């Protein structure tokens, strides 16, 4: 029966050595650049910080509430 | 464990700063850490084509989020390992379903693209290591939290402190996960 120390030794010994992937490096870098370009193209045309969208949404809700209050005021005798 | 000296950290910091201002400067960091992440992904997946995708996604996400990265406490290489680990975890189901590299698949891949020859050779090399294949199979059947710590500790030779930084866990939790992971692995071998 193996103890934990034997398993540790086994894992350390079995580790495959590092390989050199420099032949594929250029290809992957190009792939990353292409994907980045296509992602930027697909994105929403107006890119604003998230907090701006939150503030804009709150302002819009506030305007709608004011409009509802105004309509209610006009409608009532 | 590969220790990072202060000069290297300083150089990384300089290039990270440059990358924040000009994304094309990120290529220096990509060139420097490409082999490290690819080898890690290959040891986790045993599939060079999936490892290639994981490596590409890791660097793409790093490039997209480089402005958010802050050097304090977390070395750049650990940050890359963190992104790569998340990518590997996302592909966990795919990794479990992977079949060994067969002669037929090699023929098919060779027919598809000759530039992928290096990837086929890398996968063949790793497949020849029978003990590793056996251990990889047993590790892949464990819970992800155990897979992450065991592979970082024994295949990437990372220290407990570095693993805790990569996985954002306390050092005690990492030690517990390693011990429990080894116990689970023992039952499967």
């Amino acid at each position: 029966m193996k103890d934990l120390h034997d398993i540790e030794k086994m894992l350390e010994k079995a580790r495959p050595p590092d390989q050199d992937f420099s032949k594929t490096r250029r290809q992957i870098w190009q792939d990353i650049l292409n994907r980045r370009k296509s992602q930027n193209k697909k994105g929403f045309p107006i890119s604003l910080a998230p907090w701006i969208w939150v503030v804009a949404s709150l302002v819009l809700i506030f305007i709608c509430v004011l409009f509802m209050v105004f309509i209610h005021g006009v409608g009532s005798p | 464990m590969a220790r990072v000296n202060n000069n290297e950290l300083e150089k990384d910091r300089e290039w990270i700063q440059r990358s924040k201002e000009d994304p094309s400067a990120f290529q220096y960091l990509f060139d420097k850490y490409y082999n490290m992440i690819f080898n890690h992904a290959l040891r986790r997946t045993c599939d060079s084509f999936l490892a290639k995708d994981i490596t590409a996604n890791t660097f793409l996400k790093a490039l997209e989020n480089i402005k958010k990265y802050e050097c304090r406490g977390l070395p750049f290489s650990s940050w890359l390992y963190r992104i790569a680990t998340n990518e590997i975890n996302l592909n966990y189901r795919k990794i479990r379903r992977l079949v060994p590299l067969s002669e037929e698949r090699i023929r098919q891949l060779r027919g598809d693209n000759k530039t992928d020859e290096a990837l086929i050779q890398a996968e063949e090399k790793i497949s020849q290591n029978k003990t590793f294949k056996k251990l990889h199979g047993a590790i892949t059947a464990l819970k992800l939290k155990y897979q992450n710590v065991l592979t970082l500790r024994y295949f990437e030779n990372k220290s407990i402190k570095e693993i805790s930084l990569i996985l954002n866990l306390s050092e005690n939790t990492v030690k517990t996960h390693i011990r429990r992971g080894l116990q689970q692995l023992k039952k499967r071998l």
Side-chain angles (χ1 to χ4, degrees), chain B residues 137-153:
Chain B
I139 289 174
T140 311
L142 301 177
K143 282 184 182 171
L144 270 177
K145 59 182 179 182
Y146 300 137
Q147 290 186 35
N148 293 337
V149 289
L150 290 181
T151 49
L152 286 169
R153 182 80 182 114

Side-chain angles (χ1 to χ4, degrees), chain A residues 2-64:
Chain A
K2 289 184 180 76
D3 70 9
L4 295 189
H5 189 67
D6 291 332
I7 308 240
E8 280 187 302
K9 287 273 164 228
M10 202 173 156
L11 283 164
E12 281 161 8
K13 275 187 191 165
R15 178 191 185 273
D18 281 352
Q19 298 191 53
D20 182 18
F21 292 104
S22 47
K23 277 182 191 169
T24 56
R25 203 173 59 212
R26 292 290 124 241
Q27 186 198 343
I28 294 190
W29 177 245
Q30 207 47 54
D31 181 35
I32 291 170
L33 294 180
N34 293 341
R35 280 163 68 181
R36 198 160 179 260
K37 245 184 230 169
S38 64
Q39 269 181 13
N40 288 345
K41 270 183 201 167
K42 271 184 221 160
F44 195 68
I46 308 163
S47 67
L48 295 170
W51 69 268
I52 297 177
W53 290 111
V54 173
V55 171
S57 306
L58 289 173
V59 168
L60 196 64
I61 291 168
F62 183 68
I63 291 169
C64 289

Side-chain angles (χ1 to χ4, degrees), chain B residues 159-176:
Chain B
S159 66
I160 303 286
K161 189 176 168 50
E162 213 173 341
I163 299 172
S164 75
L165 287 173
I166 294 169
L167 300 175
N168 203 17
L169 298 169
S170 74
E171 289 186 33
N172 280 335
T173 308
V174 172
K175 284 179 196 167
T176 310

Side-chain angles (χ1 to χ4, degrees), chain B residues 5 27 53 69 87-88 90-91 113 153 167 172 181 188:
Chain B
N5 64 39
Q27 195 177 352
D53 283 347
Y69 172 77
E87 278 300 310
I88 291 163
L90 284 174
N91 284 281
N113 189 348
R153 182 80 182 114
L167 300 175
N172 280 335
R188 291 174 191 277

